[in-house]
DNA sequence: GGATTATATTCCCAATACGGAATATGTCAA
DNA sequence: TTGACATATTCCGTATTGGGAATATAATCC
C-alpha cells in the first residue's frame, strides 16, 4: 500500500481534496456504503477504496460489514488535533478584527468631526 | 522548485510537521529572520528556506528585507479555510459531549437510586 | 457450484516531495 | 574590491503519491 505509508497522520490525510470531500460526505448521513460514496462523488471505485484506506489508517473512519457492503463511518474526534491546532490562531483573527474595528471607529470619528467642522463652517458662513 | 509545485493549497502546506513548527514559531514573536528560525528549530538552513518558500507560495507568510536578512511574518488569515473547514465539525463534538453528559447523568441517576435502594435496604435491614 | 454484485488490492506509471550537499545571490563592512 | 554573513536556489537521490486498469476477495442469489 504505497500511498498510505507516510500518511500516518491526520494532517496529511486531510491534505487531499477528495479525502476531505469524503469526510464531508460522511459527516452528514451517518454511515455510508462505499458504493454510495462512489456514486455521490462520481469517483472511480478503486480511488474511493484507496482514499478510505488512508482515512482508515489514521483512524478518521471506521468500517463495519453489513451484508455485502462495508459501511464507513466518520470518527470525527480524530479531527481534534487539527481543530485544536488551528483554533490556537483564533485569537489572532480576533485581534485583527479588533484592530479593524478600532480603525473603523477612528475613521468614523474623523469623518464625524470633519462633517461637524464643515457643518459649523457652513453654519457660520 | 520541486516541492512547491503541487503544494498550491494551504492544507497541503500545513501537512508538513516542520512547516507547522515554523508557523507556530512565527505566531509568537511577530516577524522572525530565517536565521532565528534555523537556530530555534535546529534545522538546516536550506530546509528552512525551502519550507518558507512553500509557505510563501500559499500566502501563509510574507517576507520583508531588512538589511541582510529577510524577516518572515505569518499571515494568519490564510489559515482561515482550514479553521472554517474543521470548525464545521465542532457541533459533532458537542453532540458527542452531550451524549456523554447524558450518559453520565443517567449513570449518576442509576448510582443514586442504587445507593438509595441499598440505603433503604440497610435502613430496613 | 456458477454468476453477480460490492469492495479491496495489486501493478505500473508519471509526478512530486523532501533531504542533503553544493553553489548562487545579495548585503554589509573594511 | 575583498571578505564575511544571511539567505535562496539548484542538483541529485530516494521515497511517496495518486491515478488507471486489471485482478482478487467476499458475500449474495440462482
Amino acid at each position: 500500500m504505497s500511498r498510505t505509508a507516510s500518511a500516518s497522520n491526520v494532517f496529511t490525510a486531510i491534505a487531499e481534496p477528495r479525502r476531505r470531500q469524503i469526510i464531508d460526505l460522511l459527516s452528514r448521513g451517518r454511515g455510508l456504503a462505499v458504493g454510495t460514496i462512489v456514486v455521490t462523488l462520481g469517483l472511480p471505485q478503486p480511488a474511493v477504496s484507496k482514499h478510505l484506506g488512508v482515512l482508515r489508517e489514521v483512524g478518521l473512519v471506521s468500517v463495519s460489514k453489513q451484508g455485502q457492503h462495508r459501511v464507513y463511518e466518520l470518527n470525527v474526534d480524530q479531527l481534534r488535533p487539527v481543530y485544536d491546532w488551528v483554533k490556537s490562531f483564533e485569537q489572532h483573527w480576533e485581534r485583527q478584527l479588533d484592530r479593524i474595528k478600532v480603525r473603523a471607529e477612528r475613521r468614523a470619528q474623523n469623518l464625524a468631526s470633519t462633517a461637524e467642522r464643515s457643518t459649523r463652517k457652513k453654519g457660520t458662513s
Side-chain angles (χ1 to χ4, degrees), chain A residues 32-84:
Chain A
L32 294 179
V34 178
T36 309
I37 302 175
V38 168
V39 170
T40 307
L41 299 185
L43 298 175
Q45 176 267 314
V48 171
S49 279
K50 286 178 205 170
H51 285 310
L52 285 172
V54 176
L55 296 175
R56 211 188 317 138
E57 189 156 312
V58 301
L60 270 171
V61 301
S62 47
V63 218
S64 60
K65 304 184 186 181
Q66 194 162 310
Q68 64 190 132
H69 359 154
R70 317 277 174 110
V71 173
Y72 279 82
E73 192 179 353
L74 182 62
N75 295 147
V76 100
D77 50 300
Q78 290 302 111
L79 280 172
R80 198 94 212 203
V82 181
Y83 179 75
D84 290 340

Side-chain angles (χ1 to χ4, degrees), chain A residues 81-99:
Chain A
V82 181
Y83 179 75
D84 290 340
W85 183 73
V86 80
K87 193 178 171 59
S88 74
F89 300 103
E90 214 179 27
Q91 52 175 49
H92 292 271
W93 290 309
E94 281 163 12
R95 225 181 277 160
Q96 190 177 320
L97 282 179
D98 281 354
R99 270 201 300 271

Side-chain angles (χ1 to χ4, degrees), chain A residues 1-16:
Chain A
M1 220 165 295
S2 70
R3 83 176 39 183
T4 68
S6 125
S8 47
N9 82 83
V10 178
F11 282 91
T12 305
I14 67 167
E16 251 289 318

